[in-house]
Structures are given as C-alpha cells and as structure tokens.
C-alpha cells in the first residue's frame, strides 16, 4: 500500500472545537487500486462498527471517539474544521483520519460518492453540531478519548502511531 501522507492541525474556531492535540491525517490514494478492501483493513486493525454511506452536508463532530473515513467510490470536497477550515479533495482510495472533535461536512460530491467509516474498538459515535450549550462537556470528552493502539490503515505501524503521541 503506497500512500502520500498529509497532516493538518486545526484550531478551535469557537464553534467547532476540533482537536487541540491531534492532527487530521490524510492517506492519499492508499486504497486506489483496491477500494473494496477498505472496510476489511479497518476491521483487521480494530477500527470497527463500520458502515458505508455518505458524509453529512452540515458541520458535525464526535466528541467521544475518533473516526476514519475511506473513499470507496467517487470523489468529494470535504470541509474540515468549520466554516473557515480546510477544503480537502478526496478521491476513491483516499482515507482521512479525524481525531475526536474534528468538524467535518460534505461541501460537494459526485453522485456515486461513498465512504466506509469506522471507529477504534467499534465505539458508537455521538453527534455534535455547532451548539454552545454542548461546548464545555464536548471539550472535556475530547480530552478523554484515548489514542488508539493501531493505525486504521497500517495496523502496528503507520503515521497515526508517530503523529498521535500521548
């Protein structure tokens, strides 16, 4: 599996907390030749609770778990970090690893766009939006989400294990 790795550190924007300690990791074209293997790879590396579908077209985040998304088909522009965040062009075979608290939304996509999503240890994700009344609790939850033991793409090695140090 050959991949170009990118990392992006996002700041709290006042509405979306993002993650103060962990960067977003993008694995470009890691499953380009084998997009049907994304879910099996995630599951093999203990990133389970997997599903296949799209990405919501509004900003949301999960304060209780990290999330990995692998593009199974099509392409999309995903906005991470809030309204003034980063626009990522994701194509079939790309994977994006979102630390707890990272806002994300589908800004636009091809009609056939599909991702496989999963969570470390199969954690059931909560759903948070830009709601100031949730903020204090969300920030506390984000700080308590542990760094997973395995990288969702590479398992016992890989960029997550070097980028996400506790």
């Amino acid at each position: 599996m050959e991949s170009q790795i990118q990392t992006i550190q996002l700041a709290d924007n006042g509405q979306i907390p993002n993650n103060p300690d962990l960067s977003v990791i993008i694995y470009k074209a890691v499953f380009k030749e084998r997009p049907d293997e994304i879910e099996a790879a995630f599951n093999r590396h203990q990133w389970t609770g997997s599903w296949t579908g799209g990405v919501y077209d509004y900003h949301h985040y999960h304060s209780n778990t990290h999330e990995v998304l692998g593009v199974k088909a099509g392409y999309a522009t995903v906005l991470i970090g809030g309204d003034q965040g980063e626009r990522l062009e994701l194509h079939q075979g790309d994977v994006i690893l979102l630390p707890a608290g990272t806002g994300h939304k589908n800004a636009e996509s091809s009609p056939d766009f599909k991702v496989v999503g999963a969570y470390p240890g199969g954690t059931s994700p909560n759903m948070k939006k830009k709601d100031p009344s949730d903020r204090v609790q969300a920030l506390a939850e984000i700080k308590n989400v542990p760094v997973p033991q395995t990288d969702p793409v590479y398992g016992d090695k890989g960029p997550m294990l070097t980028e996400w140090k506790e």
Side-chain angles (χ1 to χ4, degrees), residues 101-112:
T102 302
H104 51 292
K105 83 174 227 179
N106 182 345
E108 58 185 298
S109 61
S110 62
D112 62 339

Side-chain angles (χ1 to χ4, degrees), residues 1-148:
M1 288 189 290
E2 289 290 318
S3 175
Q4 177 188 349
I5 304 297
Q6 280 180 267
T7 60
I8 300 171
Q9 185 66 51
L10 297 166
D12 186 328
N13 73 2
Q15 294 184 331
I16 303 287
N18 295 305
N19 194 298
D21 302 314
L22 305 177
S23 57
V24 173
I25 302 173
I26 302 109
Y27 307 69
K28 294 300 283 183
V30 68
F31 289 103
K32 185 175 183 177
E33 304 302 321
R34 302 173 326 282
D36 290 335
E37 294 180 20
I38 295 171
E39 186 170 16
F42 292 169
N43 290 181
R44 187 170 53 252
H45 300 128
Q46 288 78 53
W47 287 69
T48 55
S50 53
W51 53 270
T52 301
V55 175
Y56 292 120
D57 63 357
Y58 54 86
H59 286 292
H60 66 286
Y61 64 94
H62 313 294
S63 63
N64 68 330
T65 188
H66 310 296
E67 181 175 39
V68 64
L69 300 172
V71 182
K72 188 171 183 172
Y75 61 89
T77 300
V78 175
L79 182 57
I80 60 169
D83 292 325
Q84 306 305 315
E86 300 278 338
R87 296 175 73 82
L88 301 177
E89 301 293 325
L90 300 177
H91 298 272
Q92 181 176 299
D94 292 348
V95 171
I96 181 170
L97 179 53
L98 302 168
T102 302
H104 51 292
K105 83 174 227 179
N106 182 345
E108 58 185 298
S109 61
S110 62
D112 62 339
F113 177 64
K114 275 198 179 78
V115 295
V116 174
Y119 311 92
T123 303
S124 183
N126 61 15
M127 176 66 76
K128 302 285 185 180
K129 299 179 191 171
K130 299 185 227 178
D131 182 352
S133 67
D134 279 351
R135 190 168 175 74
V136 172
Q137 181 181 354
L139 289 170
E141 289 172 347
I142 291 163
K143 287 190 180 298
N144 288 319
V145 176
V147 170

